[in-house]
Amino acid sequence: MIRGIRGATTVTQDDADEILSRTAELLLQMAEQNAVQPDDIASILFTLSPDLRATFPAEAARKIGWKYVPVICARELDVPHGLPKTVRVLMHAESNRSPREIRHVYLEGAVVLREDLVAEEPQRG
Protein backbone atom coordinates (compact mmCIF):
# COMPACT_ATOMS: atom_id res chain seq x y z
CA MET A 1 0.00 0.00 0.00
CA ILE A 2 1.25 3.49 -0.82
CA ARG A 3 0.87 5.88 2.11
CA GLY A 4 1.35 9.63 2.33
CA ILE A 5 3.76 10.79 5.01
CA ARG A 6 3.70 14.48 5.80
CA GLY A 7 6.36 16.64 7.32
CA ALA A 8 7.48 20.22 7.68
CA THR A 9 10.25 22.29 9.16
CA THR A 10 11.16 25.94 9.38
CA VAL A 11 14.37 27.86 8.82
CA THR A 12 15.58 31.12 10.33
CA GLN A 13 16.51 32.74 7.02
CA ASP A 14 16.41 32.26 3.27
CA ASP A 15 19.77 30.49 3.16
CA ALA A 16 20.52 27.53 0.87
CA ASP A 17 22.67 25.66 3.39
CA GLU A 18 20.09 25.97 6.15
CA ILE A 19 17.23 24.94 3.87
CA LEU A 20 19.16 21.88 2.71
CA SER A 21 20.32 20.82 6.18
CA ARG A 22 16.87 21.21 7.76
CA THR A 23 15.22 19.42 4.85
CA ALA A 24 17.71 16.54 5.02
CA GLU A 25 17.07 16.23 8.76
CA LEU A 26 13.32 16.16 8.11
CA LEU A 27 13.57 13.52 5.37
CA LEU A 28 15.75 11.24 7.49
CA GLN A 29 13.39 11.52 10.47
CA MET A 30 10.34 10.85 8.29
CA ALA A 31 11.99 7.72 6.89
CA GLU A 32 13.27 6.50 10.25
CA GLN A 33 10.04 7.06 12.17
CA ASN A 34 8.09 5.17 9.50
CA ALA A 35 10.64 2.39 8.78
CA VAL A 36 10.91 3.56 5.16
CA GLN A 37 13.93 2.88 2.95
CA PRO A 38 14.68 4.92 -0.19
CA ASP A 39 13.54 1.99 -2.38
CA ASP A 40 10.12 2.16 -0.65
CA ILE A 41 9.59 5.79 -1.71
CA ALA A 42 7.44 6.32 -4.81
CA SER A 43 7.92 10.12 -4.90
CA ILE A 44 8.36 13.23 -2.78
CA LEU A 45 6.68 16.61 -3.22
CA PHE A 46 8.38 19.59 -1.58
CA THR A 47 6.82 23.02 -1.13
CA LEU A 48 8.41 26.24 0.05
CA SER A 49 6.67 29.20 1.61
CA PRO A 50 6.76 32.27 -0.69
CA ASP A 51 9.57 33.91 1.32
CA LEU A 52 12.05 31.09 0.54
CA ARG A 53 13.85 30.99 -2.79
CA ALA A 54 17.56 30.33 -2.09
CA THR A 55 17.52 26.71 -3.31
CA PHE A 56 15.43 23.70 -4.25
CA PRO A 57 14.71 21.65 -1.10
CA ALA A 58 14.60 18.52 -3.27
CA GLU A 59 18.37 18.83 -3.56
CA ALA A 60 18.53 17.60 0.06
CA ALA A 61 17.25 14.19 -1.08
CA ARG A 62 20.17 13.91 -3.49
CA LYS A 63 22.66 15.03 -0.84
CA ILE A 64 21.58 12.17 1.46
CA GLY A 65 21.97 9.65 -1.36
CA TRP A 66 18.37 9.25 -2.51
CA LYS A 67 19.44 9.35 -6.17
CA TYR A 68 16.55 7.35 -7.66
CA VAL A 69 13.64 8.85 -5.70
CA PRO A 70 11.48 11.05 -7.96
CA VAL A 71 11.22 14.53 -6.45
CA ILE A 72 9.58 17.82 -7.38
CA CYS A 73 9.32 21.27 -5.81
CA ALA A 74 6.43 23.73 -5.77
CA ARG A 75 5.49 27.03 -4.18
CA GLU A 76 3.15 26.98 -1.16
CA LEU A 77 0.04 29.16 -1.41
CA ASP A 78 0.64 32.74 -0.28
CA VAL A 79 -2.14 33.08 2.30
CA PRO A 80 -2.10 35.88 4.91
CA HIS A 81 -1.90 33.53 7.91
CA GLY A 82 0.61 31.09 6.38
CA LEU A 83 3.65 30.05 8.39
CA PRO A 84 6.74 31.86 7.04
CA LYS A 85 10.09 30.26 6.20
CA THR A 86 8.59 26.80 5.94
CA VAL A 87 9.56 23.71 3.95
CA ARG A 88 6.77 21.14 3.63
CA VAL A 89 7.14 17.57 2.42
CA LEU A 90 4.67 14.96 1.20
CA MET A 91 6.40 11.60 0.83
CA HIS A 92 4.57 8.78 -0.96
CA ALA A 93 5.95 5.46 0.28
CA GLU A 94 5.19 1.77 0.33
CA SER A 95 4.17 0.78 3.86
CA ASN A 96 2.28 -1.94 5.68
CA ARG A 97 1.25 0.58 8.32
CA SER A 98 -2.31 1.81 8.58
CA PRO A 99 -2.98 5.55 8.19
CA ARG A 100 -3.23 5.85 11.98
CA GLU A 101 0.19 4.25 12.40
CA ILE A 102 1.98 6.64 10.05
CA ARG A 103 4.20 9.11 11.93
CA HIS A 104 4.01 12.60 10.43
CA VAL A 105 7.03 14.70 11.37
CA TYR A 106 6.94 18.41 12.20
CA LEU A 107 10.17 20.06 13.33
CA GLU A 108 11.24 23.47 14.60
CA GLY A 109 8.52 26.13 14.26
CA ALA A 110 6.44 23.86 12.01
CA VAL A 111 5.13 21.97 15.05
CA VAL A 112 2.30 24.53 15.18
CA LEU A 113 1.00 23.33 11.80
CA ARG A 114 -0.25 20.01 13.17
CA GLU A 115 0.09 19.96 16.94
CA ASP A 116 -2.64 17.30 16.96
CA LEU A 117 -0.40 14.89 15.02
CA VAL A 118 2.82 15.76 16.83
CA ALA A 119 1.26 15.08 20.25
CA GLU A 120 -0.44 11.89 19.12
CA GLU A 121 1.32 8.64 19.97
CA PRO A 122 1.23 6.09 17.15
CA GLN A 123 -1.42 3.44 17.55
CA ARG A 124 0.06 0.07 16.64
CA GLY A 125 -1.92 -3.07 15.98
Side-chain angles (χ1 to χ4, degrees):
M1 176 71 62
I2 298 290
R3 298 286 182 208
I5 305 169
R6 295 184 311 218
T9 191
T10 56
V11 295
T12 60
Q13 58 189 338
D14 186 21
D15 174 76
D17 290 336
E18 185 179 6
I19 291 168
L20 294 175
S21 67
R22 291 275 174 88
T23 303
E25 174 189 22
L26 177 62
L27 291 172
L28 292 170
Q29 283 201 33
M30 291 171 70
E32 180 182 331
Q33 290 187 32
N34 290 286
V36 169
Q37 300 299 315
D39 284 349
D40 300 328
I41 301 171
S43 64
I44 303 174
L45 170 64
F46 298 86
T47 66
L48 286 168
S49 55
D51 53 356
L52 298 179
R53 54 188 297 264
T55 192
F56 296 104
E59 187 180 332
R62 302 296 176 243
K63 288 189 177 286
I64 61 174
W66 294 4
K67 180 178 179 179
Y68 299 106
V69 175
V71 296
I72 193 165
C73 297
R75 177 71 56 206
E76 191 67 34
L77 294 175
D78 190 9
V79 296
H81 61 277
L83 186 64
K85 295 182 178 61
T86 303
V87 178
R88 289 175 173 85
V89 174
L90 177 57
M91 179 185 293
H92 304 97
E94 185 75 28
S95 176
N96 291 324
R97 294 182 178 192
S98 73
R100 286 194 168 100
E101 292 174 313
I102 295 295
R103 298 294 311 262
H104 304 287
V105 180
Y106 292 86
L107 304 177
E108 305 296 333
V111 169
V112 300
L113 293 172
R114 289 303 306 264
E115 290 176 294
D116 60 321
L117 293 178
V118 174
E120 191 176 280
E121 287 296 317
Q123 300 173 1
R124 307 260 186 244

